[in-house]
Amino acid sequence: MDVNLHHCLEGDKQAWDDFVQRYSGVIYAAVGHVFGSRGAGSTGRTTEDVAQDVFVRLVKDDYRLLRKFEPQRASLETWLTLVARSVAIDCLRKRRLETSGLDPSQIPAAEPTPDGQTVPLHLLTARQRLVLTLLFDEDRSVAQAAQMLNVDEQTIRSTKHKALSRLRSHFQSR
Amino acid sequence: MPVDDQKNPTDERLWRSAAPMKPALSAACPGQLELASYLDGRRSAAEIESIETHLVVCRECREAVADARLIVVATARSRPAAPERVIESAQALVSAQSQPLLGLKWRTARWPAAAAASVAICVFGYHTGTAWTASTDLRLDQLATEMSFGVFDPPDEDAGEIELIAALLTERPR
C-alpha cells in the first residue's frame, strides 16, 4: 500500500487511514518488543494502549512529530520503530518513577550513561571499540553484534581480531 | 560455536587493561532520525564513525540501535498486523474534516464542540442506559488518551463531566 505522507500532513483523512493501516503493525511490534523484553506487567498499560499513544504523539499539535521525519534520510519503518520504542521506554520509566515514590516532574530527563570501556584515542577505530564493547562489556554473541551492526559474523570476528592485535602491539611496544 | 567466538579471558583482560581512560560523552545523543539513518545505512563513513564513537560510551543509544535492528529485521520478515481495535482507534484520531482531533490547539482554545459533543453522547448513553456501542467505547479511549497527554484541557466548569468520564471508563462493560 502506498502512503502519501504529504497528503497525510495536509490532513487528508484517507491518507491518514492508509498510513495507520500500513504502519500500525510496525508500531505495535516495536511496543510489544519493549514490553516483552523488559516486562510491562507493572505499568498497568497494554501494548495496545501504548501503540495508541504513539499515534497520538504523531498527530499531536498538527502532526508536529510526524513532520520531523525526512524521507531522504531514513525509511519511515525504521524511524517509526525508534519512535515507538522510545514511547514504550518512556512509559516504563515513568511507571518506575511513580512506583518508587518520586515525583516524575522533579526528575530530570535521563542522561545517557557513559559506561563504555575505551582505549587510547586513535588506537582503535570507533567500529573496533564498539565491537569489543558489545562482545566483552555487554556479553553479546558474535551473531548478535553482527545483527546489530548489520554486517556478517565473519566481519565481526575480523574486526575483533584486528582490534586485539593492535592492542597487543600497543602494550608490547610500551 | 566457532573456536574464534568463545570467550577468551586473555582477550577480555587485554581490552579492559587498555581502558585506563573513560572519556565523557563528547556529544549529545543523536536524534531518532539520525539513528534511523544510521540503521538504514544512509550515513557517510565519517558520520558512521561519529555515531559509533557515541555508541561506545552511551548504553542507552546502543540499546536503542540493538532493539531497533531486532524489530526491523523481525517485522521485515513477518509483516505483523496490529489488532483491529488499535487501527480503528488510530484512524479515528483524524476526522473526515481534514483535522487531526489531537492536532487541535485545545490548550489555548475553548473546549471544542466536537469534544463536548462526544462527552455529551457518552454521558447521555450512561444516564439513559442506551446500548453501549463500539464507537462509544472508542471515543472514551480517545478522551482518556487525550486527557493523559494534557491536550484535552476543558474549562473548570466542565469538571463534573470529566469526573463522569472517569467513572464511565471505570464502569464500562468489558
Side-chain angles (χ1 to χ4, degrees):
Chain A
M1 177 191 297
D2 287 334
V3 172
N4 189 322
L5 198 59
H6 181 67
H7 286 176
C8 199
L9 295 174
E10 286 181 338
D12 184 318
K13 167 70 174 159
Q14 186 57 51
W16 171 253
D17 286 354
D18 292 344
F19 173 88
V20 172
Q21 196 74 45
R22 171 72 178 78
Y23 296 107
S24 55
V26 169
I27 289 172
Y28 189 77
V31 174
H33 173 84
V34 171
F35 277 16
S37 60
R38 291 164 174 80
S42 62
T43 65
R45 310 206 66 212
T46 65
T47 302
E48 291 186 17
D49 295 334
V50 179
Q52 176 71 354
D53 291 352
V54 176
F55 285 108
V56 168
R57 289 205 191 183
L58 289 171
V59 304
K60 190 179 167 189
D61 293 335
D62 194 23
Y63 304 97
R64 189 158 57 94
L65 178 56
L66 190 53
R67 285 182 196 281
K68 290 184 179 176
F69 175 69
E70 297 173 34
Q72 69 277 18
R73 294 183 66 188
S75 70
L76 196 46
E77 284 92 344
T78 305
W79 182 72
L80 286 172
T81 296
L82 284 162
V83 168
R85 176 194 176 276
S86 171
V87 172
I89 294 278
D90 283 350
C91 173
L92 294 177
R93 188 174 288 147
K94 187 176 171 202
R95 178 58 56 169
R96 280 197 199 104
L97 288 173
E98 285 171 354
T99 53
S100 69
L102 297 172
D103 177 358
S105 66
Q106 301 300 311
I107 305 295
E111 292 291 333
T113 314
D115 63 341
Q117 297 284 355
T118 60
V119 297
L121 292 178
H122 308 304
L123 182 61
L124 302 182
T125 64
R127 172 60 61 97
Q128 288 170 334
R129 278 181 283 155
L130 184 54
V131 165
L132 295 187
T133 298
L134 295 174
L135 297 177
F136 293 140
D137 294 347
E138 296 194 337
D139 276 334
R140 291 183 194 267
S141 67
V142 168
Q144 288 170 330
Q147 183 177 47
M148 178 177 163
L149 299 178
N150 202 26
V151 296
D152 59 45
E153 294 182 19
Q154 194 49 43
T155 302
I156 295 293
R157 292 186 193 102
S158 164
T159 304
K160 171 188 160 190
H161 179 74
K162 285 179 185 166
L164 290 172
S165 295
R166 280 198 183 192
L167 289 177
R168 281 192 199 96
S169 301
H170 172 77
F171 283 110
Q172 283 166 3
S173 65
R174 288 172 70 184
Chain B
M1 182 187 291
V3 175
D4 216 23
D5 294 352
Q6 290 171 4
K7 293 279 177 190
N8 181 333
T10 309
D11 290 347
E12 198 165 341
R13 268 200 304 277
L14 179 62
W15 165 239
R16 299 208 183 286
S17 62
M21 295 187 296
K22 187 182 260 192
L25 283 171
S26 55
C29 295
Q32 285 165 342
L33 193 57
E34 207 173 339
L35 282 182
S37 185
Y38 168 75
L39 282 159
D40 286 342
R42 297 194 194 177
R43 307 258 81 184
S44 68
E47 289 167 331
I48 291 172
E49 173 86 6
S50 167
I51 288 180
E52 293 190 348
T53 297
H54 178 81
L55 292 178
V56 170
V57 295
C58 181
R59 185 170 47 205
E60 290 208 13
C61 287
R62 277 203 306 274
E63 286 180 356
V65 168
D67 278 351
R69 180 76 73 197
L70 274 176
I71 297 162
V72 166
V73 169
T75 53
R77 199 178 294 146
S78 66
R79 292 269 161 214
E84 200 56 37
R85 182 181 160 86
V86 170
I87 294 173
E88 286 174 7
S89 299
Q91 288 178 334
L93 291 171
V94 172
S95 73
Q97 285 76 43
S98 301
Q99 280 291 329
L101 290 175
L102 294 163
L104 299 172
K105 293 177 173 54
W106 291 1
R107 277 194 170 287
T108 55
R110 282 284 303 167
W111 199 17
S118 297
V119 174
I121 291 166
C122 294
V123 171
F124 178 77
Y126 179 76
H127 282 313
T128 59
T130 52
W132 190 285
T133 66
S135 65
T136 311
D137 217 25
L138 186 63
R139 188 60 194 134
L140 272 174
D141 278 340
Q142 279 181 244
L143 288 168
T145 305
E146 290 158 14
M147 283 194 286
S148 71
F149 273 89
V151 292
F152 185 73
D153 193 14
D156 291 343
E157 58 264 33
D158 294 309
E161 263 117 348
I162 300 307
E163 284 177 17
L164 194 47
I165 292 174
L168 286 164
L169 286 166
T170 308
E171 296 176 14
R172 67 175 163 180
R174 288 287 182 183

